[in-house]
Amino acid sequence: MLIHIGFGNIVNTTKIIAIVSPESAPVKRLVQSAKEKGMAIDATQGRKTKSVLVMENSQVVLSALLPETIAGRVQTGQGDSEQAEENEGNEG
């Protein structure tokens, strides 16, 4: 299943190992190492990173949404199509 992680970016929930806050030193080192290896995907659109998604293939995805928000979407099964419908309803 796919979930929306902010600003039109979507990830596959079956590939997520962990959703963590970027504040701790070990996570900062993990992100820096991934950036150096070209394994980091920045989905923040220039905003502050509020969560880091650790993926199965050693990639890390940076998101501007809070970890609780993303985890809630994973648990409730709120997919990208449902999010798109909500956004379309708010545009008019």
Side-chain angles (χ1 to χ4, degrees), residues 6-89:
F7 306 107
N9 299 296
I10 299 168
V11 295
N12 186 348
T13 57
T14 61
K15 304 293 183 184
I16 298 173
I17 294 175
I19 304 169
V20 295
S21 172
E23 302 301 320
S24 71
V27 175
K28 288 180 182 179
R29 286 192 298 268
L30 175 71
V31 170
Q32 187 59 39
S33 174
K35 284 181 179 180
E36 291 170 359
K37 294 176 184 175
M39 298 295 284
I41 300 171
D42 188 351
T44 62
Q45 300 293 334
R47 309 306 197 282
K48 181 180 177 187
T49 300
K50 294 185 181 176
S51 64
V52 177
L53 288 76
V54 181
M55 309 301 281
E56 277 184 357
N57 57 1
S58 301
Q59 287 184 321
V60 295
V61 180
L62 310 177
S63 175
L65 296 181
L66 291 171
E68 294 84 6
T69 304
I70 297 172
R73 290 179 183 182
V74 171
Q75 290 175 347
T76 61
Q78 181 178 356
D80 61 328
S81 60
E82 294 173 26
Q83 183 69 30
E85 289 173 7
E86 287 179 17
N87 289 340
E88 288 173 7

